[in-house]
Amino acid sequence: MKPENPEDQIILIDKPAGISSFGVVAKVRGQLKQEFGHKIKVGHTGTLDPFATGLMILLSGKFTKKSNDFLKKDKVYEATLKLGYISTTGDPEGQIQPYLTKDLPEVITEDEGASPAKTGTSNSYPKLSEIEFVLSCFVGEIKQTPPRFSAIKINGERAYKLARKNQDFKIPARKVTIYSIDILDYNYPILKIRCHVSSGTYIRTLAEDIGKKLKTGAYCEELRRTKIGDYNIEDAKKLVL
């Protein structure tokens, strides 16, 4: 996609933590205004939560009309899950508390004929083999319910705004595809994974669902997007705040 006008650009940004996606757009818009001497239209092709880092694709000028070409692309994330705890938002920005159960953590084993296996004494945690099996349960087409604290619209209003008002509402489950989940590191309570997923997949929700399956609880402590379609984080510009 070659621009006829230098104002029309595909801009790859490595988003830092602590800034919203709309903040990133505003920052880039200001930088382009300085470069060209007048206001340039800028839009994003998919958001990242403020705590998350990594690849964002921004479009400027006439290229903003091509946003639909980018919205449905598959994505790759690297996520750090903290087991043994849960968060009201599924990430470090919510209220975090220990995952409490009446019994010791239980993990579903590969032997379907056996009952869930106890992890042992109070200082015993899921084994790597148990983690691997539970992760394999999520690979393929699955149904996922997006988090209450998300930008999904419910009757015209963002879900996170309704959640902040403590309003009761339901978000319908949707089909997403998890192409692969690879373990990068595991040292309880920290589990680091790489996920290749379809558009519309919420890694926060995936983290929570993994925690439920493990019977340990979990939330997404860190999240980094490294790829969108054929676009890679290595080609992105660091955002200067």
Side-chain angles (χ1 to χ4, degrees):
M1 191 183 297
K2 295 183 179 180
E4 297 178 359
N5 188 322
E7 296 180 4
D8 306 333
Q9 299 181 44
I10 300 174
I11 306 169
L12 306 184
I13 293 294
D14 186 349
K15 174 191 170 303
I19 183 173
S20 70
S21 297
F22 299 103
V24 171
V25 171
K27 189 73 176 178
V28 171
R29 185 185 294 120
Q31 293 172 349
L32 291 180
K33 183 178 181 180
Q34 283 188 331
E35 180 181 348
F36 291 101
H38 59 89
K39 188 175 180 180
I40 304 292
K41 187 176 182 181
V42 179
H44 64 72
T45 63
T47 62
L48 275 175
D49 293 322
F51 84 97
T53 68
L55 184 60
M56 284 187 64
I57 300 178
L58 273 57
L59 304 175
S60 66
K62 293 181 179 179
F63 275 11
T64 55
K65 298 178 181 179
K66 301 179 181 294
S67 60
N68 287 338
D69 296 343
F70 298 85
L71 291 176
K72 297 300 181 182
K73 291 184 179 296
D74 297 338
K75 299 173 176 66
V76 177
Y77 295 90
E78 292 181 1
T80 298
L81 280 56
K82 188 165 186 179
L83 308 182
Y85 293 84
I86 56 175
S87 166
T88 53
T89 58
D91 60 37
E93 297 183 335
Q95 295 179 352
I96 298 169
Q97 63 184 43
Y99 182 77
L100 301 177
T101 58
K102 295 180 181 179
D103 303 311
L104 296 175
E106 295 181 344
V107 176
I108 297 177
T109 64
E110 194 167 356
D111 183 359
E112 296 181 355
S115 59
K118 293 281 186 182
T119 58
T121 60
S122 59
N123 62 352
S124 181
Y125 308 113
K127 298 176 182 178
L128 179 59
S129 60
E130 296 170 329
I131 296 284
E132 290 173 338
F133 172 70
V134 167
L135 294 183
S136 72
C137 296
F138 291 93
V139 176
E141 187 179 80
I142 63 172
K143 278 194 173 182
Q144 185 185 75
T145 302
R148 289 172 58 83
F149 285 87
S150 66
I152 289 177
K153 285 190 176 182
I154 305 295
N155 296 325
E157 190 164 4
R158 300 292 183 185
Y160 67 84
K161 292 184 178 181
L162 297 175
R164 288 172 182 169
K165 298 175 185 177
N166 292 320
Q167 293 191 16
D168 185 29
F169 63 94
K170 289 186 178 181
I171 301 178
R174 57 173 66 176
K175 288 183 179 180
V176 299
T177 302
I178 312 294
Y179 300 105
S180 65
I181 307 178
D182 299 313
I183 297 175
L184 301 178
D185 189 37
Y186 175 52
N187 185 13
Y188 189 91
I190 301 301
L191 171 64
K192 295 184 179 181
I193 59 176
R194 181 186 294 115
C195 311
H196 178 197
V197 303
S198 66
S199 175
T201 303
Y202 281 86
I203 306 301
R204 281 184 290 150
T205 299
L206 179 62
E208 291 179 317
D209 290 344
I210 289 171
K212 291 175 184 177
K213 193 82 169 176
L214 285 169
K215 302 293 179 68
T216 63
Y219 72 93
C220 187
E221 189 174 52
E222 296 179 0
L223 182 63
R224 182 166 178 77
R225 187 159 64 197
T226 60
K227 193 171 183 180
I228 302 174
D230 294 326
Y231 296 90
N232 291 283
I233 189 65
E234 289 82 3
D235 300 319
K237 298 177 182 178
K238 293 282 186 180
L239 185 69
V240 180
L241 299 178

